[in-house]
Amino acid sequence: MTGCRIWGTVLLVLSISSYIANASVADERTLTNDEKRRFFETENFLYSWTGPNALARSALVERQERLQYNCEEIPGDVESKNDVSETESFRNILVDEQHELLYCYVPKVACTNWKRVLMIATGKWPGSDPLEIPADQAHSPGTFHRLSNYTQPEIERMLATYDKLIVVRHPFERLLSAYRNKLEAKHERSSKYFQTRFGKKIIKRYRHNATGESLKHGDDVTFSEFVEFVTDDSFNETRNEHWKSIYELCRPCLVNYNLVSKYESLVEDATEVLERMGVESVNFPAKPPNSEPTAKKLEKYYSTLTYKQLRKLASLYNLDLRLFDYSLEDVLGFSLA
């Protein structure tokens, strides 16, 4: 893959050089406004490619191409790639008209910090430190416009002309993060809400001989019980956005995302995205150095699951795994035949 990336870079630079050469020998012909815009974008692209964000830019281009290829490889008509009539399917896509950016937020994939950054970039917060913004305010329903609230012609225009950002994460890691934050954590307002709304039901439905204390508080749901709940498609209430698939939330084969960031390279990708937006007033928050990443806890939790549960999870997140080039070996150390 590294060799392909290097050759892709060489070919890109050669094509840019050819474009510039052709433009310089165009005699007295005046470039149209559209040609000038494309020429300007090309020069910026070359500058950024050879600058400090070169690897991040290369990765973003490669991921966009891989996503398009993977969408084409999905057998059958999974979704119409041109149908934008169901506007409600775009409710997780936030609109930044100032920077002509669409951002599909995915819970448990740094969406709080990305919302904070966009609040500063769009003047919704007077400071420059994203971490000063309360999480509740970043998630407030009226903070951002959603693409689903626009008319169909406006949606079509934005999808065709705006940059489109999505940040993805291994679905198994994201699921564990949701469990630990929403159901395992103690004495936090957010987890208290999920324990009351979901925890009690999970224990009642999947635990034999549950104690009255557990049924009352719902704050001791095991990871195995949580997985049983998430993979139980007989109840609509299991489809909360914190563990709903990225495919369902962001429609990646319909929305042509040209900025595909990964949780593993979050800050580097964000730096490149902000540069492209022309935003210099804010830096994306780095991960706290003393925090233990969820990735290091995967074996502890997933080793408690049965083979059948793992198969059900692989089926539930099959499209996320395929579209964004994640594998089960990354988490389990083996594949499921």
Side-chain angles (χ1 to χ4, degrees):
M1 185 64 73
T2 302
C4 293
R5 182 177 298 172
I6 293 173
W7 272 110
T9 306
V10 171
L11 292 173
L12 178 65
V13 172
L14 288 175
S15 65
I16 292 173
S17 300
S18 176
Y19 183 93
I20 295 174
N22 290 337
S24 65
V25 297
D27 297 325
E28 301 299 323
R29 184 176 68 85
T30 302
L31 295 177
T32 65
N33 288 334
D34 186 58
E35 287 173 327
K36 290 177 181 177
R37 178 183 60 79
R38 282 185 282 129
F39 182 74
F40 176 76
E41 290 175 348
T42 303
E43 285 187 312
N44 282 342
F45 191 90
L46 180 60
Y47 172 80
S48 183
W49 191 280
T50 57
N53 296 334
L55 290 179
R57 172 62 69 103
S58 174
L60 290 172
V61 172
E62 182 178 323
R63 290 181 201 139
Q64 178 189 12
E65 294 174 347
R66 288 294 301 171
L67 177 57
Q68 292 173 340
Y69 174 80
N70 291 338
C71 283
E72 293 172 358
E73 290 297 302
I74 294 177
D77 186 15
V78 179
E79 69 178 5
S80 172
K81 296 180 175 59
N82 298 308
D83 183 14
V84 298
S85 59
E86 297 181 12
T87 58
E88 187 58 27
S89 62
F90 301 120
R91 74 175 311 275
N92 271 58
I93 299 180
L94 307 181
V95 179
D96 174 3
E97 294 188 29
Q98 180 180 337
H99 301 98
E100 297 190 340
L101 176 76
L102 302 179
Y103 163 55
C104 186
Y105 74 91
V106 179
K108 309 315 301 176
V109 193
C111 70
T112 302
N113 279 344
W114 256 114
K115 288 179 179 181
R116 286 166 165 160
V117 166
L118 291 176
M119 286 179 67
I120 295 175
T122 55
K124 293 180 173 65
W125 182 264
S128 59
D129 182 1
L131 297 181
E132 291 180 349
I133 304 176
D136 288 351
Q137 189 163 343
H139 294 301
S140 176
T143 302
F144 296 99
H145 294 298
R146 298 176 184 266
L147 188 61
S148 57
N149 293 332
Y150 288 81
T151 65
Q152 187 169 336
E154 288 174 324
I155 292 174
E156 292 175 351
R157 175 181 62 81
M158 292 177 181
L159 288 175
T161 60
Y162 280 22
D163 281 324
K164 294 164 284 288
L165 169 65
I166 184 174
V167 188
V168 301
R169 186 180 189 180
H170 194 296
F172 280 24
E173 185 179 328
R174 175 175 167 246
L175 180 70
L176 178 56
S177 178
Y179 165 74
R180 296 184 63 225
N181 179 242
K182 302 302 181 185
L183 288 165
E184 187 181 57
K186 304 289 186 180
H187 312 301
E188 295 183 13
R189 185 169 63 176
S190 176
S191 59
K192 202 71 177 176
Y193 167 79
F194 276 80
Q195 289 160 1
T196 300
R197 181 179 177 185
F198 297 104
K200 295 179 181 180
K201 295 178 182 178
I202 293 173
I203 292 172
K204 183 178 181 180
R205 187 175 299 160
Y206 302 106
R207 185 181 301 180
H208 300 297
N209 302 319
T211 66
E213 192 73 9
S214 294
L215 292 170
K216 178 182 178 181
H217 298 289
D219 61 353
D220 62 349
V221 174
T222 67
F223 186 57
S224 179
E225 291 168 339
F226 175 64
V227 169
E228 281 295 317
F229 172 71
V230 168
T231 56
D232 190 344
D233 57 8
S234 62
F235 299 95
N236 291 333
E237 61 193 18
T238 65
R239 314 304 296 142
N240 183 271
E241 68 171 9
H242 285 81
W243 47 83
K244 186 180 289 186
S245 72
I246 297 175
Y247 177 83
E248 293 177 272
L249 293 174
C250 296
R251 306 292 295 276
C253 292
L254 175 61
V255 179
N256 182 20
Y257 292 98
N258 62 315
L259 301 172
V260 182
S261 173
K262 287 202 168 186
Y263 191 76
E264 302 91 290
S265 55
L266 184 63
V267 175
E268 295 86 349
D269 294 344
T271 300
E272 174 60 30
V273 172
L274 291 171
E275 180 183 302
R276 179 179 294 206
M277 293 168 60
V279 174
E280 300 178 352
S281 59
V282 57
N283 293 319
F284 196 90
K287 297 176 183 178
N290 57 347
S291 64
E292 186 176 8
T294 300
K296 290 190 175 182
K297 297 180 177 290
L298 292 170
E299 182 179 357
K300 171 185 174 182
Y301 288 86
Y302 279 94
S303 63
T304 66
L305 304 183
T306 65
Y307 182 78
K308 181 179 179 181
Q309 288 176 313
L310 293 173
R311 286 293 299 269
K312 290 170 74 173
L313 280 179
S315 176
L316 178 64
Y317 295 112
N318 174 53
L319 289 176
D320 283 4
L321 290 164
R322 294 180 60 180
L323 291 174
F324 302 110
D325 292 321
Y326 287 115
S327 72
L328 295 178
E329 290 89 337
D330 297 336
V331 172
L332 306 178
F334 59 88
S335 61
L336 299 175

